[in-house]
Amino acid sequence: MEYLVCLSDGLYRVKSKKETCKTLTKGAVVIILLHFLIRFEQVREHGDFASLNIPDYDASLPPLPPEIMEDFPTTGIDKIPKIIHQTWKSTAVPQMFVPWVKTWMKRNPDWEYWFWTDEATRKFIADKYPDFLPTFDGYSQPIRRADAMRYFILYEYGGVYADLDVESIQSFSPIIKKYSCFLGQEPFVHSVLDTNFEHLVINAVMGCRKGHPFMKSLVEKLPLFSHMWHVLDSTGPHFVTLWYREYEKHHYPPDHVNGTYLAPAHYFFPTFDPAKSFHFHSQCANFQNLNQMGKRACIHLKKTSLHPYDMKNSFANHHWVHTYSLMFRLPLKGPEDIRDLVPGVKVL
Ligand SMILES: *[C@@H]1O[C@H](CO)[C@@H](O)[C@H](O)[C@H]1NC(C)=O
């Protein structure tokens, strides 16, 4: 028996059964692949944790801390100078960062805004920390220099450092009236489902007074760790987490002049990285086999995918831009000069 399978050159062509089978199989493979691709995209974009077989609540698990805002003094001296530091290769800010960059002076109008180009950063290290220059120049990746420079700048000048993919939600002024040094932490679901840690310090937002001994410890330890294979360990979040734990042994109260305050994740990192959705989704699909922290994380993911976080108790929001998304993104408009974006910017 033969089937009519396609129309070609205006004539019906007849194919043998074997060929038809091949065609159908190929078609089916394409459809199945497409199905998985679309599914992957959906999960990647939206999380889709609501459809997983996860309880809404589990009384046997310790609850997550409430996402509230603590009390801050409204008067008194500033313990950290009112300077926002941001950095990029040059003064040409890629379009995708533009809306977020603009929020800093909008929400913190009485602050200074300092912008560090690669050239200015290198000059700063060469002038003030010449002993570190060989390590700085020897870093295998630009991201390591970007990590290192923030510790030196906060140690030398003080202020608040934020990556370009961080948006300011409300003024940082209350925080700097209370703390001399504050750090942010990864969203609970990141640290738990990625590394099985309850707290991981992240360096995308941090603020310190000038000359703080914790920043001093970071700048002093950098050369020892410069050869670590992974950037997270060498200069990034794992490096800071390690020395934060070490520094905690001093037992300074968080609001002490030498103290450090690890802010709750929702202050600066209220949303999780969509690029991790797929990975989290596959872990949560295996809910019954997770440990207590993992279960808590999955319940939290399900809850937040149903009711998105409103950010009223957040100071900033990190947008999790990865270098690869910058490479593959086709900007509709070109980069904008920081001097046009932030009037009064101090370009270093
Ligand atoms: C803060 O730390 C520095 C350096 O470790 C120390 O010299 C200073 O006495 C400390 N200040 C207070 C008030 O404890």
Side-chain angles (χ1 to χ4, degrees):
M1 200 174 137
E2 289 175 336
Y3 300 94
L4 292 172
V5 284
C6 61
L7 183 66
S8 164
D9 296 325
L11 294 166
Y12 285 108
R13 245 181 50 195
V14 178
K15 280 194 178 178
S16 71
K17 190 177 178 181
K18 201 174 158 198
E19 268 182 81
T20 313
C21 272
K22 270 192 192 165
T23 315
L24 286 176
T25 316
K26 278 184 200 159
V29 168
V30 169
I31 288 170
I32 291 169
L33 279 178
L34 267 177
H35 170 83
F36 278 108
L37 250 175
I38 291 169
R39 183 91 194 110
F40 176 81
E41 270 304 301
Q42 277 176 343
V43 171
R44 196 178 69 84
E45 287 292 323
H46 308 293
D48 192 25
F49 295 93
S51 66
L52 283 176
N53 187 18
I54 298 174
D56 292 331
Y57 178 73
D58 184 338
S60 71
L61 300 174
L64 289 176
E67 293 188 343
I68 52 174
M69 193 180 285
E70 68 197 79
D71 288 329
F72 287 104
T74 49
T75 56
I77 56 146
D78 297 328
K79 297 182 170 180
I80 296 175
K82 287 183 160 169
I83 308 169
I84 290 149
H85 299 278
Q86 295 204 291
T87 184
W88 189 244
K89 285 191 284 250
S90 67
T91 59
V93 176
Q95 195 54 228
M96 72 181 308
F97 299 126
V98 163
W100 306 324
V101 164
K102 285 177 172 172
T103 59
W104 286 95
M105 286 315 277
K106 194 169 159 214
R107 308 265 148 73
N108 302 279
D110 56 334
W111 288 49
E112 286 179 39
Y113 181 96
W114 293 16
F115 193 84
W116 295 84
T117 60
D118 279 2
E119 198 189 327
T121 303
R122 189 176 184 282
K123 184 167 185 308
F124 159 71
I125 298 288
D127 288 351
K128 306 265 185 174
Y129 299 91
D131 290 350
F132 185 70
L133 195 61
T135 311
F136 186 79
D137 284 341
Y139 278 133
S140 53
Q141 299 158 294
I143 177 71
R144 297 190 191 219
R145 279 185 281 277
D147 276 335
M149 66 80 85
R150 68 195 70 182
Y151 314 135
F152 280 97
I153 284 168
L154 292 182
Y155 182 58
E156 181 69 27
Y157 300 103
V160 171
Y161 170 87
D163 278 345
L164 286 193
D165 58 348
V166 181
E167 172 187 5
S168 172
I169 304 281
Q170 53 185 302
S171 171
F172 274 56
S173 295
I175 308 180
I176 62 164
K177 288 201 184 323
K178 189 164 179 179
Y179 301 112
S180 298
C181 195
F182 63 87
L183 306 166
Q185 59 182 303
E186 290 266 2
F188 177 74
V189 294
H190 281 197
S191 47
V192 168
L193 295 176
D194 271 349
T195 50
N196 204 19
F197 276 127
E198 202 156 352
H199 303 285
L200 261 185
V201 184
I202 165 165
N203 62 1
V205 179
M206 58 203 321
C208 252
R209 72 170 168 86
K210 152 185 181 170
H212 193 287
F214 174 60
M215 280 301 142
K216 185 168 190 231
S217 76
L218 293 186
V219 305
E220 282 174 354
K221 300 300 178 197
L222 278 170
L224 290 174
F225 282 65
S226 62
H227 299 294
M228 300 284 275
W229 180 78
H230 203 288
V231 58
L232 293 175
D233 302 316
S234 170
T235 54
H238 295 174
F239 169 82
V240 184
T241 303
L242 174 72
W243 295 109
Y244 168 73
R245 294 216 179 103
E246 197 58 33
Y247 189 80
E248 283 292 277
K249 293 177 184 163
H250 290 296
H251 296 291
Y252 289 119
D255 56 355
H256 186 275
V257 64
N258 282 348
T260 48
Y261 175 62
L262 185 60
H266 68 270
Y267 276 17
F268 313 126
F269 303 91
T271 52
F272 73 94
D273 181 355
K276 295 182 192 282
S277 283
F278 194 77
H279 167 59
F280 291 168
H281 194 266
S282 38
Q283 291 205 52
C284 293
N286 205 7
F287 185 79
Q288 290 313 326
N289 298 325
L290 292 173
N291 63 18
Q292 285 216 330
M293 285 205 299
K295 285 182 176 165
R296 270 165 69 187
C298 290
I299 291 175
H300 182 75
L301 279 171
K302 182 172 177 181
K303 196 178 105 195
T304 50
S305 73
L306 292 172
H307 312 282
Y309 193 67
D310 68 6
M311 303 209 200
K312 71 175 189 299
N313 293 324
S314 303
F315 292 94
N317 184 26
H318 186 229
H319 288 273
W320 309 105
V321 172
H322 302 272
T323 347
Y324 59 78
S325 42
L326 264 184
M327 280 187 317
F328 291 114
R329 216 174 150 107
L330 287 175
L332 298 174
K333 285 196 283 176
E336 288 189 47
D337 194 275
I338 191 67
R339 283 164 284 233
D340 299 329
L341 293 177
V342 183
V345 55
K346 177 167 166 181
V347 177
L348 292 136

